[in-house]
Amino acid sequence: MTDYRRLRVALLGAGAVGSQVAGLLLEHSAELADRAGAELELAGIAVRDIDAPRDVDLPRELFTTDPEPLIVGSDIVIELMGGIEPARSLILHAINSGADVVTANKALLATHGPEIFEAAEQVGASVYYEAAAAGAIPIIRPLRDSLAGDRVRRIMGIVNGTTNYILDRMDAEGAEFDDVLAQAQQLGYAEADPTADIEGYDAAQKAAILASLAFHTAVPLDAVHREGIVGIDKAMMDAARNAGYVIKLLAVCERMSVDSETSPTGDAISVRVYPALVPRAHPLASVHGANNAVFVQAEAAGDLMFYGAGAGGIQTASAVLGDVVSAARRHIAGGVGVGESTRANLPVLPIAEVCTRYQITLEVDDLPGVLATVAGILSDGRVSIATVEQNILSGGEAAEAGQESGVARLVIGTHTARERDLSETVARLAESGVVERVVSVLRVEGN
Ligand code: NAP
């Protein structure tokens, strides 16, 4: 066996991901040593409760409840505790003790990323976080390295498995949101408190991380526009299906051209998370169950799609171990780590300035001249109509919608419009006297 240099690896956290990482580090140690060019010695595992049940059998003597002494003298520190504190302080401690850091902590990177990257740059350390966005799917390294010579125009990601599972089942089975959510909780696809997933917080954290990398700009979490899937119901799903779409919760990161007053370079970005209509023929429409996918459009490379498991202990451990091998190789090669590239520093536009296509569903009085009135309001608001479909609601449908009979449903597809114009126009429609109800307004993404 080759006599490799030994690197000391500290693991913080042995939950769903950490226990699998520890198991694989121990089980595949010879193979990993050959790949890394260094022996990876698991020096210890810090947890809250040494006796807590684990998914993997691990030697008891490795466990400690005191992370600080474990960090000191380590070459690589793997943080898999989650949350902000003490993860943030321990990562800074690791960096300042001379270690490289591997983390899967999207919540921390989306809120304190610049502080952590700055600390690493100061001392020439590296921070690896392949597992922080879209779990097992290699997307951080492709954005950071493989596409470093290209210019990314757009990313559309399904980056939250729980919401994709819910929307996919609603689409496939015609089920209601609350019923699918309850089943998802029973099956372990959704947390007892599902807020972070269904309100889009988790996806927004990942969007901030992906946009920062893709556009070489530090994107703060509060610059990410966020809407969740709570308002999506069976009727909206049915209407989407009938129109050739599927509803997906998307993280959209986009570079756009703006005037020189908005950005001296003429470029700005938008980062947003919302449920959107995706054409059935688009590759993202075929992402089923709890899977994730990230669709990247780059100027030279064209369209790229990254697909796979966005979560899961063993799957995420794969991405973490890839980072550990990279960190070990860098340690052996020496030299300072490559810092985050944020020099483009592009302005992040508010949602009001974003341009996209929309589908507006209205219930209107079924009377002569109503369609012309609606078309006039849209045209006055600089919202151009691409398609209109009109259905007269049957007596039963009207009663179900809480309407008298004599009501028609209009489904209007627009050409690209500015969000501010669109929302002002929808408000005017609602007050026009001919619109009984604005049923839904959904963005359309993907051609
Ligand atoms: P988890 O199952 O909740 O495990 C957390 C681990 O950290 C536990 O072992 C816990 O100790 C330990 N811990 C928490 N607070 C601690 C403290 N103050 N001091 C010492 N130890 C502490 O979490 P996870 O699902 O493995 O997730 C870990 C990270 O990976 C998170 O940042 C998460 O966002 C990210 N991630 C997870 C997945 C996934 O599928 N689970 C996917 C992608 C990314 P005890 O065991 O003693 O309680």
Side-chain angles (χ1 to χ4, degrees), residues 12-18 46-50 52 54 79-83 86 104-106 131-132 135 310-313 316:
L12 313 180
V17 184
V47 292
R48 274 178 305 214
D49 173 6
I50 290 178
R54 311 268 159 219
E79 183 279 308
L80 294 170
M81 298 189 309
N105 195 331
K106 57 215 151 216
T316 306

Side-chain angles (χ1 to χ4, degrees), residues 213-280:
L213 270 174
F215 304 127
H216 307 276
T217 293
V219 176
L221 187 55
D222 58 13
V224 180
H225 175 82
R226 177 194 52 78
E227 293 170 35
I229 63 163
V230 174
I232 304 297
D233 61 16
K234 178 175 165 0
M236 287 158 91
M237 275 288 174
D238 292 346
R241 193 180 312 106
N242 292 339
Y245 295 110
V246 59
I247 300 176
K248 296 286 189 191
L249 183 72
L250 294 186
V252 183
C253 314
E254 190 174 22
R255 174 195 285 261
M256 52 241 286
S257 299
V258 290
D259 57 38
S260 57
E261 225 170 88
T262 310
S263 168
T265 61
D267 273 331
I269 59 174
S270 154
V271 191
R272 51 202 201 255
V273 168
Y274 46 53
L277 294 167
V278 176
R280 293 251 161 201

